[in-house]
Amino acid sequence: MKELVLQLNDKSPKYKQIYEHVRSLIEEGLLLKDTKLPSIRQLAIILHVSRNTTLIAYEQLVAEGYIRSEEKKGYFVEVYEPMDLQQSLRIENHLPSSETSIKVNFRAGTIDQQAFPLKAWRKCSNDVLKEDMIYCYGDNQGDPLLRSQLSSYLLQSRGIQTTPEQIIIGSSTQQLLMHLSLFLQKDFSSIAVENPGYDGARVVFQLHDYHLHPIEVGSKGLSLKQLERTDSKLVYITPSHQFPTGVTMPVPERQQLLKWAEAQNGFIIEDDYDSEFRYKQQPIPALVSLQPGARVIYLGTFSKAFIPSIRLSYMVLPSILIKPYVKQFSGLEQGTSSIHQRTMARFMEQGFWNSHIRKMRTTYKRKMHTLVTCLQNTFGEKIEIIGSQSGLYVLIRFRGSTKEEQLIQQALSHGVKVYPTSNYFVTNEQRTILKLGFSNLSIEQIQLGVQLLKQAWRF
Amino acid sequence: MKELVLQLNDKSPKYKQIYEHVRSLIEEGLLLKDTKLPSIRQLAIILHVSRNTTLIAYEQLVAEGYIRSEEKKGYFVEVYEPMDLQQSLRIENHLPSSETSIKVNFRAGTIDQQAFPLKAWRKCSNDVLKEDMIYCYGDNQGDPLLRSQLSSYLLQSRGIQTTPEQIIIGSSTQQLLMHLSLFLQKDFSSIAVENPGYDGARVVFQLHDYHLHPIEVGSKGLSLKQLERTDSKLVYITPSHQFPTGVTMPVPERQQLLKWAEAQNGFIIEDDYDSEFRYKQQPIPALVSLQPGARVIYLGTFSKAFIPSIRLSYMVLPSILIKPYVKQFSGLEQGTSSIHQRTMARFMEQGFWNSHIRKMRTTYKRKMHTLVTCLQNTFGEKIEIIGSQSGLYVLIRFRGSTKEEQLIQQALSHGVKVYPTSNYFVTNEQRTILKLGFSNLSIEQIQLGVQLLKQAWRF
């Protein structure tokens, strides 16, 4: 424990000095995993500081995963993992962390950092900080200026005719689904969902005790035949870029689905989570735009096309639902930062949003093309590439019998991180489909990644 | 409609020129209330622009309340009200808006704009925008750095011994109560609440079908006798500064309440919403800090002591609840901006938070003193002032028989806005108590406000 007896100076807070010292010992490998640290009391005596000071230092180290606390035993060193790896592990699927160095991480749900319009965003954000509205509680439904901008944007980009009154701002798709689940609960007790489909939506419906009807996804999207055989009057669907298969539901099926909702007096929840990125044709109009008064609740998000950290999403309610929805939640404050909402409104108003989307579409199109070409050239008939026309990832289906987990481990051992898809399936069948995202990788990294996968998989 | 035929130039977007032109006509009183505007189609023809352009301009005007749209009839001019008045009307109680000019608005829940540390916050925020974490989804429980800062702060300021693992970040007290309602639903079906008490909490419990037991608030806070007579095992309470009466629950009653929770195997939800502002004594330690392992869920917020627009609150779970809570919500993303979370962590780390709180306490203490002295000198025995030792508002109880609504209208007609309290009561008894907040008023405005109230009420 000799190293811990550091010299405290008066320049920075004492807890911070202790924290930084211990952290650097761990990072440099001088304190090994499972080493017991001096107790809070011991360390306080050694360093002539208060117990609070040592407690705070240790707590910060625990929070960051450098050390762990075991009840009645004390504090112990944890294995050190670089931060971005930790992050990625936390986000997707909690894979074992045996790998020591990741060269290429095909993580989906990331953002191209190089292309992010940081300057314009910072400018808008600093301008908004001068506005009086930051000192107030915001409008329950969301910033009127943002809702107004969104209604213009949705008309231009998705053909959706809506008014700002129909738009509800939320912090995420999941948060909006939480409210919808409460709202629809009195009339509906079950919901049909795509299989495979977005696990994050299923979680919310299950938290609210909905019975789930998993419906198969085929080449034309969700199977309408299967849907009609259930007694569900509610369906959650990603028709424009099915998650995760990337399938687009054709217009005749969309019309049939709209008729189904009308006949059932039910509702379709259309999640249009990454409508912005379609590379080979014009974007297909949203389901909600096909028919005036359609029984569709439309969801969109800024998490994929912009950044997830501002937590900004929105939904468009059909006009028959607005009054009852607003009434039910009239006592509930808006939970999304009004600073970010107004910043996004200014960002859109000044044209930054449209040029950002145009730029990202070109950037991501090039990356998608590179990834698909490399995969085809390298693996040919041995794999099937799914969903290459849109979105920020592809799925690859393997023709052989190797299991998902084994392929992931083989890739990992060559420094490449690829992701499973089994978590998107409700039912537990045997299939081997992996997910490769590319949004935050450079063209060179994508090429290197596929090369390494070739060495890893050797088939 | 002659004025509408404006000359469009090429400098700014066309919809914006139309929007600004119509807006200024309304603001200047040139277009009167209920005037019918040209239809979207007509205006598009007149101005040689697309229908989308005119639609967008009109929609923005609708969103901001300048015009209204009537189905199948067209667009009509609405009465113009200055923005900050609109805001205040929207936030509290939807009073009739007949008043033309408010000179002094005793609105609670506002922030002293003069004293806000805008520079320091902007600096921290701009630094955070350089960090990689803004491109990722954040930790489900909340930013580890913020949770670590909060655990130190709660120890210093409220005597709460906690670890970052016990802290859950949320966007507001209501949002955290939404999660808690779902979480506790399987074990509890009713909850005791203070009467009068925070209506925003009741709303959430009712949305989740809890049966409410309203419990009277006396000079020692919530009546424990009444609580013990219910079959509820769950109580929501504001013991340090009861909302809205300002009563502090004494230590013996706190200990009795803790024993009650233990005996019932129940839980106390302690909402410590404005613990930062206590003027006459040291802050009283939080309920949760009185006993290790107390069956208390502790809630705090940055909305009152900082600003509501960043939407940042937190709760501390007792250790027995952490694992099941984290498990139940493991599939749910954090809904609070990770940019704001990290900015607040840096703001606290660099000492700005502590100095902000110290400064605000002095500022608000002076304002509270001014308000109370003016009210006493002006109205003497005719009113009773409640809750002047802490918080950002006082209640005044009238000894006469005039009704709440009448007093509010009399004040309004003299340009002063004061607020009702009947919405905080579950039961519908006759009482006359008004609420006067002062946080965003200057000393001079407070003095003027009381003078005007004297003229208004004349008793």
Side-chain angles (χ1 to χ4, degrees):
Chain A
M1 277 310 93
K2 228 177 177 177
E3 292 90 347
L4 268 172
V5 189
L6 77 164
Q7 283 293 324
L8 294 176
N9 61 47
D10 283 330
K11 278 184 226 136
S12 69
K14 289 200 170 50
Y15 82 89
K16 221 177 151 183
Q17 294 178 48
I18 301 170
Y19 157 81
E20 281 169 1
H21 186 72
V22 177
R23 194 181 73 168
S24 68
L25 292 175
I26 296 171
E27 287 186 358
E28 289 160 18
L30 296 171
L31 280 175
L32 294 178
K33 184 168 159 59
D34 301 328
T35 308
K36 189 174 188 307
L37 293 169
S39 74
I40 287 176
R41 207 173 130 266
Q42 285 170 341
L43 188 61
I45 294 170
I46 298 170
L47 297 174
H48 299 288
V49 296
S50 76
R51 286 179 57 185
N52 273 357
T53 304
T54 52
L55 175 67
I56 293 167
Y58 275 12
E59 273 174 4
Q60 183 144 353
L61 290 160
V62 170
E64 294 175 18
Y66 287 97
I67 65 175
R68 69 178 183 276
S69 137
E70 292 186 9
E71 218 170 340
K72 291 184 188 159
K73 287 190 184 163
Y75 291 87
F76 297 85
V77 175
E78 277 287 66
V79 166
Y80 169 65
E81 291 170 346
M83 197 58 187
D84 63 345
L85 173 57
Q86 270 191 26
Q87 286 273 11
S88 67
L89 287 174
R90 200 178 296 136
I91 290 157
E92 297 237 5
N93 309 315
H94 303 278
L95 288 173
S97 56
S98 55
E99 68 269 41
T100 45
S101 83
I102 300 287
K103 289 173 198 144
V104 180
N105 190 340
F106 282 108
R107 179 147 62 96
T110 58
I111 298 296
D112 188 317
Q113 299 189 22
Q114 302 304 318
F116 185 73
L118 188 57
K119 256 193 184 165
W121 181 257
R122 195 168 47 212
K123 190 195 163 302
C124 294
S125 169
N126 286 336
D127 285 349
V128 166
L129 283 180
K130 291 176 202 145
E131 294 188 33
D132 282 355
M133 53 83 75
I134 73 161
Y135 303 101
C136 302
Y137 285 84
D139 187 292
N140 279 7
Q141 260 187 260
D143 185 11
L145 290 190
L146 177 60
R147 290 190 281 127
S148 168
Q149 289 293 328
L150 272 172
S151 79
S152 322
Y153 171 68
L154 289 171
L155 185 62
Q156 285 165 36
S157 71
R158 307 295 291 127
I160 301 171
Q161 280 225 315
T162 178
T163 63
E165 287 70 30
Q166 284 175 266
I167 298 178
I168 314 278
I169 305 292
S171 56
S172 67
T173 300
Q174 284 190 321
Q175 186 260 311
L176 289 166
L177 290 175
M178 295 270 284
H179 282 209
L180 279 180
S181 295
L182 277 176
F183 176 60
L184 297 168
Q185 205 156 244
K186 57 184 181 305
D187 297 320
F188 304 94
S189 58
S190 71
I191 186 164
V193 295
E194 296 162 319
N195 183 26
Y198 175 40
D199 45 342
R202 290 202 305 265
V203 162
V204 175
F205 302 134
Q206 281 169 324
L207 273 174
H208 292 84
D209 286 331
Y210 280 80
H211 177 73
L212 296 187
H213 295 289
I215 310 283
E216 247 171 54
V217 174
S219 61
K220 294 180 170 182
L222 172 129
S223 158
L224 294 172
K225 259 196 190 152
Q226 270 192 30
L227 176 65
E228 280 160 4
R229 278 204 296 267
T230 71
D231 59 1
S232 184
K233 298 173 175 195
L234 208 55
V235 63
Y236 166 84
I237 186 176
T238 51
S240 296
H241 181 229
Q242 202 276 327
F243 185 89
T245 66
V247 170
T248 302
M249 183 180 263
V251 172
E253 276 72 18
R254 289 178 182 230
Q255 271 156 349
Q256 203 183 324
L257 185 61
L258 289 171
K259 271 187 204 142
W260 169 85
E262 226 173 82
Q264 303 285 323
N265 260 326
F267 288 100
I268 301 161
I269 303 177
E270 176 181 22
D271 186 350
D272 208 17
Y273 66 103
D274 68 354
S275 62
E276 293 82 1
F277 305 117
R278 169 160 290 275
Y279 311 119
K280 306 225 169 145
Q281 324 142 356
Q282 278 297 84
I284 289 181
L287 191 55
V288 70
S289 72
L290 289 183
Q291 186 185 295
R295 297 181 69 90
V296 176
I297 298 163
Y298 176 88
L299 294 170
T301 180
F302 286 98
S303 292
K304 315 290 174 198
F306 197 62
I307 38 172
S309 55
I310 56 170
R311 309 274 67 209
L312 194 53
S313 297
Y314 49 89
M315 71 177 164
V316 180
L317 291 176
S319 47
I320 45 163
L321 290 187
I322 302 167
K323 267 198 191 159
Y325 183 93
V326 169
K327 193 179 163 212
Q328 179 162 356
F329 295 109
S330 64
L332 214 61
E333 288 154 16
Q334 172 58 239
T336 309
S337 159
S338 37
I339 297 179
H340 290 332
Q341 289 184 65
R342 183 57 61 90
T343 303
M344 183 53 86
R346 301 285 178 219
F347 190 83
M348 294 176 98
E349 189 182 62
Q350 292 169 41
F352 293 125
W353 171 250
N354 276 332
S355 58
H356 173 64
I357 289 300
R358 271 197 305 275
K359 181 176 165 191
M360 295 320 292
R361 201 178 287 129
T362 317
T363 308
Y364 288 147
K365 188 179 178 174
R366 252 186 81 215
K367 292 185 182 187
M368 174 65 98
H369 179 75
T370 307
L371 177 59
V372 170
T373 314
C374 288
L375 285 171
Q376 278 168 342
N377 292 347
T378 309
F379 298 107
E381 292 295 302
K382 285 162 202 143
I383 60 166
E384 180 192 354
I385 299 171
I386 304 169
S388 63
Q389 309 219 340
S390 55
L392 305 176
Y393 62 85
V394 290
L395 300 188
I396 50 182
R397 188 202 302 268
F398 290 79
R399 308 232 190 260
S401 62
T402 328
K403 284 190 184 161
E404 187 182 86
E405 189 50 32
Q406 196 182 336
L407 290 163
I408 292 171
Q409 284 305 329
Q410 288 170 347
L412 257 190
S413 67
H414 284 73
V416 185
K417 214 160 155 54
V418 293
Y419 291 87
T421 59
S422 47
N423 45 317
Y424 304 129
F425 288 86
V426 181
T427 39
N428 245 343
E429 298 154 47
Q430 181 54 42
R431 59 184 85 64
T432 310
I433 305 175
L434 295 179
K435 185 177 176 191
L436 276 67
F438 54 77
S439 29
N440 194 29
L441 297 177
S442 67
I443 297 288
E444 294 70 33
Q445 282 173 314
I446 293 172
Q447 291 164 335
L448 172 66
V450 178
Q451 260 177 35
L452 291 169
L453 285 178
K454 186 185 177 184
Q455 292 169 25
W457 291 337
R458 305 177 172 280
F459 47 60
Chain B
M1 276 312 92
K2 229 177 176 177
E3 292 92 346
L4 267 171
V5 189
L6 77 164
Q7 283 293 324
L8 294 176
N9 61 47
D10 283 332
K11 279 184 223 134
S12 68
K14 291 203 168 51
Y15 83 88
K16 221 178 152 184
Q17 295 177 48
I18 301 170
Y19 157 82
E20 281 169 1
H21 187 70
V22 178
R23 195 181 72 167
S24 68
L25 292 175
I26 296 172
E27 286 186 357
E28 289 160 18
L30 297 171
L31 281 175
L32 293 178
K33 184 167 158 63
D34 300 328
T35 308
K36 189 174 188 307
L37 293 169
S39 73
I40 286 176
R41 206 173 130 267
Q42 286 170 338
L43 188 60
I45 294 169
I46 300 171
L47 297 175
H48 300 287
V49 295
S50 77
R51 287 179 55 186
N52 272 358
T53 304
T54 52
L55 176 67
I56 292 168
Y58 276 11
E59 273 174 2
Q60 182 143 354
L61 290 161
V62 170
E64 294 175 17
Y66 287 97
I67 65 175
R68 67 176 184 278
S69 140
E70 291 187 9
E71 217 170 341
K72 291 184 187 157
K73 288 191 183 162
Y75 290 88
F76 297 86
V77 175
E78 277 286 66
V79 167
Y80 168 66
E81 292 169 343
M83 195 60 187
D84 63 344
L85 173 57
Q86 270 192 24
Q87 286 272 12
S88 68
L89 287 175
R90 199 177 299 135
I91 290 158
E92 296 239 6
N93 309 315
H94 302 278
L95 287 173
S97 56
S98 56
E99 69 270 38
T100 45
S101 81
I102 300 287
K103 290 173 198 143
V104 180
N105 191 341
F106 282 108
R107 179 146 63 94
T110 57
I111 297 297
D112 187 317
Q113 299 190 22
Q114 301 305 318
F116 186 73
L118 189 57
K119 256 193 182 166
W121 180 257
R122 195 168 49 213
K123 191 197 162 299
C124 293
S125 168
N126 285 336
D127 285 349
V128 166
L129 284 179
K130 291 177 202 147
E131 295 187 31
D132 282 354
M133 54 81 75
I134 73 162
Y135 301 101
C136 302
Y137 286 84
D139 187 293
N140 280 6
Q141 259 187 262
D143 184 12
L145 289 190
L146 178 60
R147 290 191 278 127
S148 168
Q149 289 293 329
L150 272 172
S151 79
S152 321
Y153 171 68
L154 289 172
L155 186 62
Q156 283 164 37
S157 72
R158 307 294 291 128
I160 301 170
Q161 281 223 316
T162 178
T163 63
E165 286 71 30
Q166 284 175 265
I167 298 177
I168 314 278
I169 304 292
S171 57
S172 67
T173 301
Q174 284 190 321
Q175 185 261 310
L176 289 166
L177 289 175
M178 295 271 283
H179 281 208
L180 278 180
S181 294
L182 277 176
F183 176 60
L184 297 169
Q185 205 157 243
K186 58 183 181 304
D187 298 319
F188 304 93
S189 59
S190 71
I191 184 163
V193 295
E194 295 161 320
N195 183 27
Y198 175 39
D199 45 343
R202 289 201 306 265
V203 162
V204 175
F205 302 134
Q206 280 169 326
L207 273 174
H208 291 85
D209 285 331
Y210 280 80
H211 177 73
L212 296 188
H213 295 289
I215 310 283
E216 247 170 54
V217 174
S219 61
K220 294 180 172 182
L222 172 129
S223 157
L224 295 172
K225 260 196 190 147
Q226 272 192 31
L227 176 65
E228 279 161 4
R229 278 203 297 265
T230 71
D231 59 1
S232 183
K233 299 173 175 194
L234 208 55
V235 63
Y236 166 84
I237 185 175
T238 51
S240 296
H241 181 229
Q242 203 277 328
F243 186 89
T245 66
V247 170
T248 302
M249 183 180 262
V251 172
E253 277 71 19
R254 291 179 181 229
Q255 271 156 348
Q256 204 184 324
L257 186 61
L258 290 171
K259 271 189 202 140
W260 169 86
E262 226 173 82
Q264 303 285 323
N265 259 328
F267 289 100
I268 301 160
I269 303 178
E270 176 182 22
D271 186 350
D272 208 16
Y273 66 104
D274 68 353
S275 62
E276 293 83 2
F277 305 118
R278 170 161 288 275
Y279 311 118
K280 306 224 170 145
Q281 325 142 354
Q282 279 297 84
I284 288 180
L287 191 56
V288 69
S289 71
L290 288 183
Q291 187 184 294
R295 295 179 71 90
V296 176
I297 298 164
Y298 176 89
L299 294 170
T301 180
F302 286 99
S303 292
K304 314 290 173 198
F306 197 61
I307 38 173
S309 55
I310 56 170
R311 308 275 69 210
L312 194 53
S313 296
Y314 49 87
M315 70 176 165
V316 180
L317 291 176
S319 46
I320 45 164
L321 290 186
I322 301 167
K323 267 197 191 160
Y325 183 92
V326 169
K327 194 178 163 211
Q328 179 162 355
F329 294 109
S330 63
L332 214 61
E333 285 155 18
Q334 172 58 238
T336 308
S337 159
S338 37
I339 298 178
H340 290 332
Q341 288 184 65
R342 182 57 62 90
T343 302
M344 184 53 85
R346 300 285 179 220
F347 191 82
M348 294 176 97
E349 189 182 62
Q350 291 169 42
F352 292 125
W353 172 251
N354 276 332
S355 58
H356 173 65
I357 288 300
R358 270 196 305 273
K359 181 176 166 191
M360 296 320 291
R361 200 178 288 132
T362 316
T363 308
Y364 289 147
K365 187 178 178 176
R366 250 186 84 215
K367 293 187 182 185
M368 174 65 97
H369 179 75
T370 307
L371 177 59
V372 170
T373 314
C374 288
L375 286 170
Q376 278 169 342
N377 292 346
T378 309
F379 298 108
E381 291 296 301
K382 287 163 201 141
I383 59 166
E384 180 193 353
I385 300 172
I386 305 169
S388 63
Q389 309 217 339
S390 55
L392 305 176
Y393 62 85
V394 290
L395 300 188
I396 50 181
R397 188 203 302 268
F398 289 80
R399 308 232 190 260
S401 62
T402 327
K403 285 190 183 161
E404 186 182 88
E405 189 51 31
Q406 196 182 335
L407 290 164
I408 292 171
Q409 284 305 331
Q410 289 171 345
L412 257 189
S413 67
H414 283 73
V416 186
K417 215 163 154 51
V418 294
Y419 292 86
T421 58
S422 47
N423 46 317
Y424 305 129
F425 287 86
V426 182
T427 40
N428 245 342
E429 299 153 48
Q430 180 55 41
R431 59 183 85 65
T432 310
I433 305 174
L434 295 179
K435 185 177 174 189
L436 276 68
F438 54 77
S439 29
N440 194 30
L441 298 176
S442 67
I443 296 288
E444 294 68 33
Q445 283 172 314
I446 293 172
Q447 290 165 334
L448 172 65
V450 178
Q451 260 176 34
L452 292 168
L453 285 178
K454 187 185 175 184
Q455 293 168 25
W457 292 336
R458 303 177 173 282
F459 46 59

